[in-house]
Amino acid sequence: MIELTPAELAGIVGGRLFRPDGATIPDVVDGPVVADSRLAEPGSIFFALQGETTHGHEFAASAVASGAVLVVAEAELDLGVPIVVVDDSLAALSTLARSVVATVRSQGRLRVVAVTGSNGKTTTKNMLRAILERVGPVVAPRGSFNNQVGAPLSMLGVDRETRFLVVEMGASAPGEISRLVSIVVPDVAIVLKVGLAHAGGFGSIEETAKAKAELVTELPADAVAVLNADDTRVAAMAGSTRARVVTFGLSESADVRAEDVATTVRGTEFTLVAGQTRTTATLRILGEHNVMNALAALAAVREFGVGFDEAVEALEELARAERWRMELLAAPDGVTVINDAYNASPDSMAAALKTLAEVTRGANRAIAVLGEMAELGEYSDEEHDRIGRLVVRLNIDILVVVGHGARHIHNAAGLEGSWNGESVLVTDADGAYDLLRGELRSGDVVLVKSSNSAGLRLLGDRIAGVS
C-alpha cells in the first residue's frame, strides 16, 4: 500500500484515531492490509470485519501479536497499537481502496483491468498477470479474492510503482459488482461467460446475466469492454455500455478468435487470429474453455499495447491455471490426474468432462471422480442429473460419484440405456480413494472435479502421490 500517516488513513475512512495507553503511533503505515489475523505480519494493517458468526474484534489481538501496527475497528480496543474507530469496517475498507487506487492512478501510470464471469475468472486473472508482468509491476489477487472483502484487499496492494491492477469481480447477489466498480472503474473490463454458478443467489440465469453486466454498464466511453462473442447473453451487453467493445471467441465474428483448437494430455494448441495476425499458441493448460480465457486475456492486454507475440510467449510458459484448477499431475504408477476440484458449476463441470474425453479419445481409460456442485439452489437436482447423462454420452469409462449431494449424477448415469454399471456412488473421499487404489492402471487419465466444499481437491493430490 502507499504510505499514509495513521491520521491520514483515519481521515480517508471517516474514522477517529484512538490511542490506547502506551501505544506508539507510527509515523507512516504502508504494510499489507489484511482482514484475516492469520495473514498479519510485521507492519500490516488489520481490518476487524463483521463475519457471519464472529466479529474481527475477536481476532485483533492475534493480528497485533503477529505484527499489525494499526487496527481499523468499530470500537475502541486496548491492544497496544493505535485504533481507527469507524462505524462500518467493511465500508471503510472500500473507501480506503477507492482512495489509494485513485491516488496511484492520478500519477498517470496505473491501468486497471477487471474480470467477471460465471467461470474462468481466476484462470484469466492469472493469464493477465503472467503477460503483464513482462511489462511492469502487477498487482493481482492470489486465489479467488473477488468478493466485497477480497477485491478491495487486492486493490490495496498497489503502490506508487504499480503499472497494472488486475481485479476479479465475483458476485453472489445483484449489486455486488456495481459496488466493486464504484471503487475502481476499470480501463478494460472482461466478461467471460454467463452460467448457473451461484444460481441459488440470483434465482435465474437471466438475473445472473444482469449481475455480470454491471461490470460494463457504468464504464466510461474511453474504456474497453472485452466480451465473449460466443455467449449470447454476454454479447448482448454490447448494447448496454458506452465503452468501445472488443469481442473474443471461436466464431468468425470475434475480433480476437481461435481456430484449429486441439487438446491432448500435454496441453492445448490453437491458431490465434486477429485481423491480419495469425499465430500458433500452445498452452500447457488443458481444455477449450481455457482457450477462451486465453483469448480474453490476449484481447485485453492488446489494449495496453502488449503485442500478441510477447503475450502468447508468456501464456505458453504458464504451467497451470492455479492450484487445483485443471492441474495436470503425473503419478509414479503412470496414471495422469487432472485435478480440478477447487470450484465447479454446470458449465465448468461439462467443460472438464469434455476435455477428459478429448485427451483420452479411446486410447486411454477415462475416469471421472465427481462431487457436488454447490450453490445451485432449485437447479441443483436438474443440473447434477444433466452431468450424469453427459458422462455417459461422452463415453467416459468409469464414473465415481462422491457424496450424497452429488448422488443425482450417479442416478442419472444409471438411467442411460448404454450404461452398464460403470458408475459407483461412495460416501466420501476416502471411499473413492480406496476404490480407485485397486482399479487404476498405467495410462489411465483421472479427472477429479467438484466444488471446493466437497473437499475432493486433496483426493486428486492423493491419487497422484502429491503431498
Side-chain angles (χ1 to χ4, degrees), residues 102-425:
T103 298
V104 177
R105 216 170 191 173
S106 68
Q107 300 173 341
R109 286 173 50 87
L110 182 65
R111 307 297 301 279
V112 179
V113 54
V115 186
T116 196
S118 298
N119 309 108
K121 293 184 295 296
T122 299
T123 298
T124 305
K125 173 259 300 181
N126 288 339
M127 289 177 168
L128 288 165
R129 177 170 53 206
I131 297 167
L132 294 174
E133 281 178 339
R134 293 182 165 225
V135 181
V138 178
V139 168
R142 301 289 173 180
S144 297
F145 266 38
N146 60 29
N147 62 13
Q148 304 303 297
V149 176
L153 288 173
S154 299
M155 298 172 195
L156 285 166
V158 302
D159 59 28
R160 299 184 190 279
E161 301 303 315
T162 305
R163 287 284 310 279
F164 302 101
L165 170 62
V166 183
V167 184
E168 275 190 61
M169 293 189 178
S172 56
E176 292 185 357
I177 291 176
S178 285
R179 285 193 287 274
L180 294 176
V181 172
S182 73
I183 299 173
V184 53
V185 179
D187 298 293
V188 176
I190 301 170
V191 184
L192 296 167
K193 187 175 182 62
V194 173
L196 280 173
H198 309 296
F202 293 111
S204 70
I205 196 167
E206 289 75 19
E207 291 302 312
T208 302
K210 290 179 183 177
K212 301 304 181 185
E214 292 171 11
L215 180 57
V216 299
T217 53
E218 299 302 319
L219 291 178
D222 61 351
V224 179
V226 177
L227 303 178
N228 183 345
D230 298 349
D231 186 315
T232 56
R233 293 181 177 88
V234 176
M237 295 176 193
S240 61
T241 183
R242 293 172 294 166
R244 177 166 55 87
V245 172
V246 174
T247 59
F248 67 93
L250 303 181
S251 63
E252 291 188 4
S253 64
D255 299 315
V256 179
R257 69 181 192 273
E259 296 179 353
D260 306 322
V261 179
T263 298
T264 70
V265 77
R266 294 179 298 279
T268 308
E269 184 175 294
F270 65 96
T271 301
L272 170 65
V273 182
Q276 300 303 309
T277 299
R278 293 183 67 90
T279 187
T280 299
T282 304
L283 305 180
R284 296 163 70 181
I285 304 171
L286 299 182
E288 182 178 289
H289 56 300
N290 281 317
V291 171
M292 294 294 287
N293 297 333
L295 293 174
L298 290 165
V301 300
R302 183 173 65 167
E303 299 301 322
F304 298 142
V306 182
F308 283 135
D309 288 345
E310 183 177 14
V312 166
E313 184 177 291
L315 291 182
E316 290 181 331
E317 293 179 0
L318 194 61
R320 64 186 181 194
E322 179 105 344
R323 188 80 166 94
W324 302 307
R325 294 178 190 266
M326 293 301 284
E327 184 177 15
L328 201 61
L329 303 173
D333 57 3
V335 172
T336 298
V337 177
I338 304 172
N339 197 354
D340 193 26
Y342 188 87
N343 210 347
S345 69
D347 289 331
S348 68
M349 184 78 83
L353 286 167
K354 290 173 184 176
T355 299
L356 174 64
E358 186 172 1
V359 300
T360 51
R361 291 177 181 160
N364 302 93
R365 286 201 307 173
I367 300 170
V369 183
L370 307 182
E372 182 181 11
M373 300 178 289
E375 300 183 58
L376 293 179
E378 64 181 277
Y379 299 97
S380 181
D381 291 356
E382 175 186 346
E383 292 302 320
H384 283 88
D385 181 286
R386 187 172 68 87
I387 291 300
R389 296 179 187 278
L390 178 64
V391 168
V392 178
R393 292 165 188 172
L394 289 173
N395 294 316
I396 303 302
D397 295 289
I398 298 172
L399 171 64
V400 179
V401 180
V402 185
H404 181 74
R407 66 192 183 283
H408 287 285
I409 299 176
H410 169 74
N411 294 340
L415 293 173
E416 287 290 288
S418 60
W419 201 246
N420 189 29
E422 297 93 339
S423 177
V424 181
L425 177 64

Side-chain angles (χ1 to χ4, degrees), residues 50-69:
Q50 175 68 57
E52 291 184 6
T53 58
T54 60
H55 199 292
H57 291 169
E58 301 173 32
F59 307 99
S62 175
V64 172
S66 296
V69 296

